[in-house]
Amino acid sequence: MSARLSSIEEATQQAYDIFLELAGDNLTAEDVELFDSQSEEFGFIEDSVPDDSWHTLVAYDQEAEAEHFIQVSVGLEVAQGDVIYAKILISRDLDAPFCHIVWKQ
């Protein structure tokens, strides 16, 4: 029986919603204020194939689970280069919800 997967768009939106919910507890007040004031014009949410860093942070097997997970980056495009506020690994499997966030330090 194959897993029921959400679309990449749905998982990306869910990751962004989680980011918005938890940002105040995990970013500095200055980062939250900057993101809130600049995100409409310069903000980005990018989904991609999870990078190699996840296997050291969580029990993630890239070869076995690649289609079940996406990586979502949330940040701002600024003149000095992109600022990533959160990198999120989120499951697309509707029967096995999972999310792990690496926050900007």
Side-chain angles (χ1 to χ4, degrees):
M1 185 167 158
S2 63
R4 297 180 314 129
L5 301 180
S6 65
S7 70
I8 290 173
E9 294 80 16
E10 290 168 331
T12 300
Q13 183 60 52
Q14 183 181 17
Y16 184 64
D17 291 345
I18 293 168
F19 166 82
L20 292 176
E21 184 178 327
L22 300 177
D25 295 331
N26 293 282
L27 297 171
T28 66
E30 294 81 15
D31 281 338
V32 171
E33 186 177 318
L34 182 63
F35 184 81
D36 287 347
S37 67
Q38 301 290 314
S39 63
E40 192 168 314
E41 190 171 354
F42 301 108
F44 64 84
I45 308 159
E46 294 179 347
D47 61 77
S48 61
V49 173
D51 64 34
D52 293 338
S53 67
W54 290 110
H55 77 305
T56 60
L57 298 171
V58 295
Y60 171 69
D61 180 349
Q62 191 168 6
E63 291 188 21
E65 301 176 299
E67 75 175 29
H68 290 243
F69 287 87
I70 61 167
Q71 175 178 300
V72 178
S73 299
V74 179
L76 291 176
E77 294 178 35
V78 294
Q80 301 83 356
D82 293 349
V83 176
I84 304 292
Y85 288 99
K87 187 170 80 167
I88 305 161
L89 180 68
I90 191 162
S91 173
R92 295 178 55 211
D93 187 335
L94 296 171
D95 298 319
F98 175 85
C99 179
H100 187 85
I101 303 174
V102 176
W103 295 95
K104 174 182 181 277
Q105 297 300 306

